[in-house]
Amino acid sequence: MKRLKIEISVPESHVEAVIEALHAAGAGRVGEYARCSSVWKVTGNWQALPGSRPYDGEVGVVQHSEECRIESVCELDRAAAVQQAVREAHPYEEAVIHFLPLYEP
């Protein structure tokens, strides 16, 4: 089975909710361990365009804000369920969720 690395940026206020959604959808299994993830602080940058409804900031203004990056893993067959669960728990209008293939010889 192919495994994917998951990367998500989220405001600190929603880290626990997003991690819980990840794990409930089947992410975070590493061998005989469950609920595996990492979190660290990053600075996010964005500019909301006309027609958007930003969670933080104003339309047309370049924003810089502290966020948290969550990383975990999932099996390829769980990716769609993980993506849906994260979107439901995430406060951003457009949640950034990266799924990256892992090289596992």
Side-chain angles (χ1 to χ4, degrees), residues 2-60:
K2 189 166 193 158
R3 291 170 23 100
L4 304 170
K5 176 184 176 185
I6 307 163
E7 298 178 347
I8 306 161
S9 294
V10 63
E12 189 170 9
S13 60
H14 287 74
V15 167
E16 291 305 319
V18 170
I19 287 174
E20 186 57 40
L22 272 171
H23 297 151
R29 288 292 305 248
V30 178
E32 298 302 316
Y33 294 84
R35 302 182 62 83
C36 299
S37 61
S38 299
V39 179
W40 67 90
K41 292 185 180 184
V42 297
T43 300
N45 306 286
W46 67 93
Q47 180 180 19
L49 299 174
S52 65
R53 297 179 321 261
Y55 171 80
D56 185 17
E58 299 176 38
V59 172

Side-chain angles (χ1 to χ4, degrees), residues 7-8 11 18 30-32 36-37 39 52 63 66 71-72 76-77 81 84-85 88-90 94-96 99 101 104:
E7 298 178 347
I8 306 161
V18 170
V30 178
E32 298 302 316
C36 299
S37 61
V39 179
S52 65
Q63 299 293 142
E66 191 172 273
E71 286 191 1
S72 192
L76 180 61
D77 66 350
Q84 181 64 33
E88 289 173 8
H90 203 292
E94 297 289 337
V96 176
F99 289 92
E104 297 180 291

